Amino acid sequence: MSTIRLTMAQAVARFLIAQKTEIDGEVLPLFAGVWAIFGHGNVAGMGEALHGVRDKLPTYRAHNEQGMAHAAIAFAKASRRRRMMACTTSIGPGATNMVTAAAVAHVNRLPVLLLPGDVFANRRPDPVLQQIENFADGTVSANDCFRPVSRYFDRITRPEQIIPALQRAMTVLTDPAECGPVTLALCQDTQAEAYDYPESFFAEKIWTPRRIRPDETELAKAAEIIRNAKKPFIVAGGGVLYSGAEKALADFAAKHGLPVGETQAGKSSLPHDNAANLGSIGVTGTGAANAMAEDADVVIAVGTRLQDFTTGSWALFKNPNRCIIGLNVQPFDATKHNAQALVADAKVGLQELDAALGAWKAPDAWTAKAKDEKARWFKESARYTDPTNAELPSDAQVIGAVQRNASPTDVVVCAAGGLPGELHKHWRASQAGGYHMEYGYSCMGYEIAGGLGVKMADPSREVIVMVGDGSYLMMNSELATSVMLGHKLTVVLLDNRGYGCINRLQRATGSESFNNLLQHTRHVTLPDIDFAAHAASLGAQTVKVKGIGELEDALKKARGAERSTVIVIDTDPLISTDAGGHWWDVAVPEVSVRSQVNDARKNYENALASQRVGD
Ligand SMILES: Cc1ncc(C[n+]2csc(CCOP(=O)(O)OP(=O)(O)O)c2C)c(N)n1
Ligand SMILES: [Mg+2]
């Protein structure tokens, strides 16, 4: 057996280069690069190794470990999990800064290889700088925080352990059902230790996603249920996009006359003008999709986790006889809420279901109702997004302006605040992947770093990041990285001077405005933050606009710009779209001295009555 003597870190770098992916017949590196913020615990080991391969495996420097991991995660999402990135950090705070991002990847089922440095395996210099020292357990380090948010976790204390660890990592990162973050905590002395690695470990490997075909019995049962349906409805989740099932879904819906509602992750599965597409579903759903979902007797849930925003906290599907079919690669999701499981890849699952259904079609009246509901919703939506002269426009009016100035290939990126709900209702995506919303973890601070990852995945597409003032302040530093790397973003920053959506939620649950909008906080000086000046200091082109007309001009200019541009606009914190949508379960206090809370509690208890427990 021929071997090659490498440090463990050099072996990691060499192994990553050997992993390939095939996209549309082209073989590409599976790992597009490694994000790195060096410190003790990775600068000598991983740093030296990455420098040695920098021509084959680019290293990117970020400004915040969470931000760089967000960029890596967004890159994988925009690449539909067919390409990915790794992230390396120092031990201690550099590592734990990445834990939130690991959770983002975990919730959203997205692949990212996290390589935090770890304390010395030999423990000779203990306690080292940044070592947390657990009194009761000598094996615990800061990196144990990654365990609950990693699909696979390992700590590498001997150089040869990296061989099975990386093989296991690749299985998880590339498996459609298991997919998620992998954390390999690399002890710093082990990174630097040499070992005679077998050459075969570094052989090129091309990864292609597995397409699980349905089990015959499950398929027959699902087809039987659908054949008996009078009011069938499809929920399209992120799995549709990861599977590349857009055409299969469009064909299936058209042939069988089925209306479709899209989740946040599934939005853009169908173009907005596809007749079957009723737009978003759930708490932030369109009136059209929700009206059909409420009535549906069979809900075909394709590639969705069925989180509460999709199911209206399990009160949306109101038909007493409704049955769910869970078409999902992951049995954990396929069987949720007593669903008839159909464990399969979305694309082949829909194709085989189509074959099993033959010429069956949903009743014409049902399909016709969907068409009417859609036409009604589009008219209603326009009332919210149409231009206005108001000095403080609503989020929906800003979305309208961005939409009017967008081209079909653009990608809009967002994650938290009031915008996800407004975008879910109103944004009209023309192309798959044109809507990139991180709403599994809805992590404030994902937006700009995520936008950078999206841009890196396909630099030919214009990326428009929509972000609230709160999310921007929480994490903006990768804006500087986007300027540094020449990956242009257009950032539309909606400044409503605080946490607008949480203030509205607080009011809706009977509480006084408290601690959300800046004016309602304990302060000596009310901050008047100059976001344009802040973004300019990071190297972006910036402009502060007043009203929708100026915004549209700025958007046109930004399109022609080479450098990341931040457009700041003041918006009204109190307005959101009241059309469409659905109740969301947010627990209201059972006792309170405030009568408004007591009233809200009564409403809450009434709403709970329509929540379906157990199924
Ligand atoms: C990291 C993180 N912390 C807290 C929250 C809870 N949260 C959701 S939206 C929000 C406020 C967002 O403010 P902003 O970005 O200004 O958007 P707006 O609500 O004003 O539209 C908060 C605090 C979150 N989603 N993520
Ligand atoms: Mg805000």
Side-chain angles (χ1 to χ4, degrees):
M1 183 178 69
S2 66
T3 59
I4 175 162
R5 192 159 178 80
L6 298 169
T7 67
M8 181 266 269
Q10 290 160 0
V12 170
R14 202 180 169 104
F15 178 88
L16 295 186
I17 292 169
Q19 311 310 308
K20 299 283 160 62
T21 184
E22 197 179 329
I23 299 174
D24 300 331
E26 193 188 353
V27 175
L28 296 166
L30 182 75
F31 289 95
V34 179
W35 287 98
I37 294 183
F38 293 137
H40 102 100
N42 71 337
V43 68
M46 282 305 295
E48 190 270 347
L50 290 171
H51 177 261
V53 299
R54 65 195 180 284
D55 295 336
K56 286 193 180 135
L57 181 68
T59 296
Y60 300 106
R61 180 191 175 284
H63 293 90
N64 175 298
E65 289 87 356
Q66 185 184 340
M68 74 185 188
H70 284 171
I73 292 161
F75 175 91
K77 181 178 168 86
S79 307
R80 306 211 204 175
R81 312 199 295 198
R82 302 289 291 275
R83 297 194 76 198
M84 57 195 73
M85 291 176 157
C87 299
T88 167
T89 71
S90 57
I91 79 162
T96 49
N97 262 0
M98 216 161 47
V99 172
T100 299
V104 170
H106 194 273
V107 174
N108 288 287
R109 318 282 169 87
L110 289 167
V112 61
L113 178 59
L114 305 174
L115 302 170
D118 210 322
V119 297
F120 279 78
N122 67 28
R123 307 210 187 150
R124 287 204 297 258
D126 281 11
V128 297
L129 175 73
Q130 301 172 333
Q131 183 165 342
I132 57 166
E133 292 198 287
N134 185 304
F135 293 162
D137 186 341
T139 69
V140 165
S141 84
N143 286 329
D144 286 85
C145 298
F146 284 99
R147 286 181 190 271
V149 285
S150 298
R151 291 254 176 257
Y152 179 64
F153 175 92
D154 208 343
R155 178 173 285 114
I156 308 303
T157 58
R158 292 179 57 91
E160 63 270 42
Q161 285 173 353
I162 201 69
I163 298 173
L166 277 171
Q167 283 167 347
R168 173 75 187 125
M170 291 313 302
T171 305
V172 171
L173 292 168
T174 60
D175 184 283
E178 263 200 279
C179 191
V182 168
T183 302
L184 301 181
L186 308 178
C187 290
Q188 75 156 295
D189 48 342
T190 319
Q191 282 178 45
E193 209 173 324
Y195 183 77
D196 293 312
Y197 288 95
E199 289 269 14
S200 57
F201 180 54
F202 305 108
E204 179 178 293
K205 186 151 187 178
I206 300 175
W207 295 90
T208 45
R210 178 182 303 123
R211 288 205 185 276
I212 304 163
R213 311 201 88 89
D215 167 77
E216 270 178 34
T217 312
E218 285 188 355
L219 182 67
K221 281 187 184 167
E224 180 63 18
I225 292 168
I226 297 172
R227 247 184 255 112
N228 288 319
K230 302 280 174 291
K231 298 172 174 182
F233 182 84
I234 297 176
V235 179
V240 172
L241 291 164
Y242 299 139
S243 152
E246 307 95 86
K247 187 174 177 318
L249 175 65
D251 292 349
F252 187 80
K255 181 172 160 198
H256 303 291
L258 300 173
V260 179
E262 295 177 324
T263 71
Q264 286 279 20
K267 192 170 164 92
S268 81
S269 292
L270 296 176
H272 68 89
D273 52 3
N274 178 301
N277 188 1
L278 303 187
S280 57
I281 185 176
V283 175
T284 53
T286 66
N290 282 355
M292 303 304 284
E294 285 192 4
D295 227 9
D297 57 358
V298 173
V299 177
I300 309 169
V302 187
T304 165
R305 299 184 306 122
L306 292 171
Q307 67 137 313
D308 63 349
F309 263 77
T310 301
T311 64
S313 300
W314 284 104
L316 171 62
F317 305 119
K318 294 189 173 45
N319 189 322
N321 303 317
R322 72 111 168 90
C323 164
I324 294 173
I325 293 173
L327 169 48
N328 206 295
V329 275
Q330 172 56 258
F332 182 87
D333 297 308
T335 53
K336 274 178 184 164
H337 289 268
N338 210 14
Q340 167 58 53
L342 182 57
V343 177
D345 166 77
K347 186 173 162 182
V348 296
L350 285 170
Q351 286 166 343
E352 296 200 12
L353 207 46
D354 171 53
L357 289 173
W360 175 87
K361 236 179 156 251
D364 286 345
W366 177 246
T367 315
K369 178 173 180 309
K371 198 175 160 201
D372 291 349
E373 292 284 1
K374 178 168 180 169
R376 191 173 321 147
W377 171 257
F378 268 176
K379 261 193 221 130
E380 191 145 33
S381 163
R383 284 204 294 118
Y384 291 87
T385 55
D386 278 350
T388 169
N389 292 327
E391 199 171 313
L392 284 184
S394 66
D395 288 2
Q397 287 160 343
V398 171
I399 289 168
V402 174
Q403 181 90 66
R404 286 190 294 281
N405 289 277
S407 90
T409 53
D410 291 359
V411 187
V412 65
V413 180
C414 188
L419 280 165
E422 299 294 302
L423 282 163
H424 199 210
K425 280 183 182 175
H426 298 299
W427 189 259
R428 297 177 186 187
S430 299
Q431 285 190 6
Y435 182 86
H436 183 117
M437 181 68 68
E438 190 287 286
Y439 212 65
Y441 212 46
S442 187
C443 186
M444 288 171 73
Y446 175 88
E447 297 87 344
I448 288 174
L452 174 57
V454 173
K455 187 69 180 172
M456 291 172 92
D458 187 353
S460 73
R461 289 177 92 158
E462 283 285 314
V463 175
I464 303 166
V465 175
M466 296 194 70
V467 63
D469 55 309
S471 270
Y472 177 89
L473 279 178
M474 205 171 268
M475 203 186 306
N476 50 61
S477 48
E478 302 327 322
L479 185 59
T481 316
S482 83
V483 174
M484 224 162 83
L485 292 173
H487 286 304
K488 176 210 153 182
L489 307 174
T490 299
V491 178
V492 182
L493 194 165
L494 288 78
D495 181 8
N496 59 9
R497 297 151 305 283
Y499 302 151
C501 70
I502 309 296
N503 175 59
R504 293 194 298 272
L505 182 60
Q506 188 167 47
R507 298 301 298 255
T509 49
S511 288
E512 194 58 79
S513 284
F514 168 62
N515 207 48
N516 282 308
L517 297 184
L518 293 172
Q519 57 172 313
H520 303 133
T521 59
R522 193 176 287 254
H523 59 264
V524 175
T525 308
L526 194 61
D528 181 15
I529 298 159
D530 186 342
F531 287 98
H534 182 275
S537 77
L538 298 180
Q541 294 181 359
T542 64
V543 56
K544 169 97 193 242
V545 298
K546 233 181 174 186
I548 294 298
E550 285 188 23
L551 171 62
E552 300 216 25
D553 292 343
L555 284 163
K556 288 186 181 83
K557 266 198 207 118
R559 184 164 292 274
E562 303 246 304
R563 190 182 268 232
S564 289
T565 304
V566 178
I567 305 169
V568 183
I569 183 163
D570 286 344
T571 52
D572 192 321
L574 300 179
I575 307 176
S576 66
T577 300
D578 44 14
H582 187 274
W583 172 76
W584 181 38
D585 189 345
V586 175
V588 179
E590 204 167 353
V591 290
S592 171
V593 291
R594 283 178 59 81
S595 64
Q596 296 93 326
V597 174
N598 298 331
D599 292 345
R601 175 72 195 189
K602 269 188 214 122
N603 293 338
Y604 177 60
E605 284 173 9
N606 288 340
L608 281 180
S610 33
Q611 192 172 46
R612 295 175 61 151
V613 182
D615 73 341

